[in-house]
């Protein structure tokens, strides 16, 4: 069994790589547990100045693993852990991001993607809603653009993701784009970084405090519905669900 989350460190930047390419790094219960454990280690380690969240394979994260989904409470806890981590968390994306993967992206403090990356909130196409991931997504993103992308499930590119606030930057060479950002984090005082992050994430955490219980219950209800069963079955069978006209 693989570790599911790879780890390496360069000059204080701890890279955590989602490493389940066979499932397109879908958020299984096991992957959520492994990533949470790695983030806990980073929070405690004074040698870690920043965390880089990236991936193996051509997909950053395909969303929830339909065969082994995490409990909604576990996903809420993971997203909150990223937001509250006392170190900056930087997303490095060179592939596709779908559904719950966009929740991870929005929870990060800074997010960079290659120009080839693509994005989509695909929940509505399988009969559910982007409920739990809304906790970090809605406070970060433009509401008009989000309405379109939430309601249609359309695919959009990295430039649109920057425009609507889901990405910080995009470039042909994502590592080149991240180099000055990571250099800036290394030059910043650790305690000052932690306090500055608290200032920046206060409104996001207010959303967690206010809405997490409701959105967790909504997610659980929708995932157990007949419509979701049809949508997920259709997805796994690679056919249109019954409601497509």
């Amino acid at each position: 069994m693989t570790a599911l989350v790879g780890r390496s460190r360069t000059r204080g930047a701890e890279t955590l790589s989602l490493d389940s390419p066979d499932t397109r790094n879908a958020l299984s219960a096991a992957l959520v547990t492994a990533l949470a454990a790695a983030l806990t280690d980073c929070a405690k380690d004074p040698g870690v100045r920043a965390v880089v969240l990236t991936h193996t394979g051509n997909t950053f994260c395909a969303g929830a693993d339909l065969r082994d989904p995490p409990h909604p409470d576990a996903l809420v806890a993971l997203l909150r852990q990223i937001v509250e981590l006392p170190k900056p968390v930087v997303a490095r994306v060179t592939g596709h991001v779908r559904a719950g993967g966009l929740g991870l992206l929005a929870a990060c403090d800074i997010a960079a993607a290659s120009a080839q990356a693509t994005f989509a909130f695909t929940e509505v196409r399988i009969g559910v809603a982007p409920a739990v991931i809304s906790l970090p997504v809605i406070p970060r993103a433009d509401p008009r653009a989000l309405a379109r992308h939430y309601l249609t499930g359309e695919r959009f590119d990295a430039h649109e993701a920057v425009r609507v606030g889901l990405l910080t930057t995009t470039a042909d060479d994502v590592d080149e784009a991240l180099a000055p950002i990571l250099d800036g984090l290394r030059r910043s005082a650790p305690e000052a970084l932690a306090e500055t992050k608290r200032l920046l994430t206060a409104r996001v955490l207010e959303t967690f405090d206010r809405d997490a219980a409701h959105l967790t219950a909504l997610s659980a209800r929708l995932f157990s519905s007949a419509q979701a069963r049809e949508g997920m079955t259709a997805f796994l069978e690679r056919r249109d669900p019954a409601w497509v006209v």
Side-chain angles (χ1 to χ4, degrees):
M1 181 176 176
T2 64
L4 295 179
V5 177
R7 299 181 64 171
S8 64
R9 188 179 303 181
T10 303
R11 294 179 53 215
E14 183 87 357
T15 296
L16 304 181
S17 300
L18 304 181
D19 191 17
S20 183
D22 290 346
T23 66
R24 298 170 65 226
N25 295 317
L27 292 169
S28 64
L31 181 56
V32 166
T33 297
L35 181 55
L39 289 166
T40 297
D41 290 346
C42 290
K44 296 176 180 177
D45 188 342
V48 175
R49 302 290 296 278
V51 175
V52 178
L53 182 60
T54 189
H55 59 102
T56 61
N58 65 5
T59 301
F60 173 74
C61 178
D65 188 329
L66 300 184
R67 292 184 172 90
D68 179 28
H71 191 281
D73 287 341
L75 184 55
V76 168
L78 176 65
L79 295 174
R80 182 162 193 147
Q81 184 179 15
I82 295 170
V83 174
E84 286 189 316
L85 203 79
K87 321 283 175 83
V89 183
V90 179
R92 174 191 176 275
V93 177
T94 61
H96 310 302
V97 190
R98 299 289 185 268
L102 281 152
L104 290 181
L105 204 66
C108 293
D109 303 290
I110 296 169
S114 67
Q116 295 73 42
T118 67
F119 308 82
F121 293 99
T122 53
E123 289 89 346
V124 288
R125 297 196 178 191
I126 63 165
V128 295
V132 167
I133 67 167
S134 289
L135 293 166
V137 169
I138 287 179
R140 304 274 202 200
D142 174 77
R144 273 300 190 190
L146 203 57
R148 173 176 179 170
H149 296 307
Y150 263 30
L151 292 170
T152 68
E154 292 173 290
R155 187 175 66 181
F156 54 98
D157 64 17
H159 293 288
E160 172 70 355
V162 172
R163 186 188 74 81
V164 305
L166 292 167
L167 285 179
T168 308
T169 188
T170 182
D172 290 332
D173 186 335
V174 70
D175 292 314
E176 185 176 295
L178 281 175
I181 293 171
L182 294 176
D183 182 63
L185 296 177
R186 291 183 178 107
R187 292 175 181 273
S188 303
E191 290 184 13
L193 277 177
E195 292 301 330
T196 301
K197 176 167 177 172
R198 287 190 184 95
L199 292 173
L200 292 166
T201 58
R203 291 183 63 187
V204 180
L205 290 173
E206 287 175 4
T207 303
F208 275 80
D209 292 339
R210 184 186 67 237
D211 298 334
H214 163 67
L215 292 176
T216 299
L218 174 63
S219 179
R221 178 171 63 81
L222 290 175
F223 267 90
S224 65
S225 69
Q227 187 168 259
R229 285 194 294 276
E230 164 61 11
M232 289 184 234
T233 301
F235 175 81
L236 294 171
E237 293 177 353
R238 299 186 178 185
R239 61 172 174 82
D240 284 339
W243 59 76
V244 174
V245 295

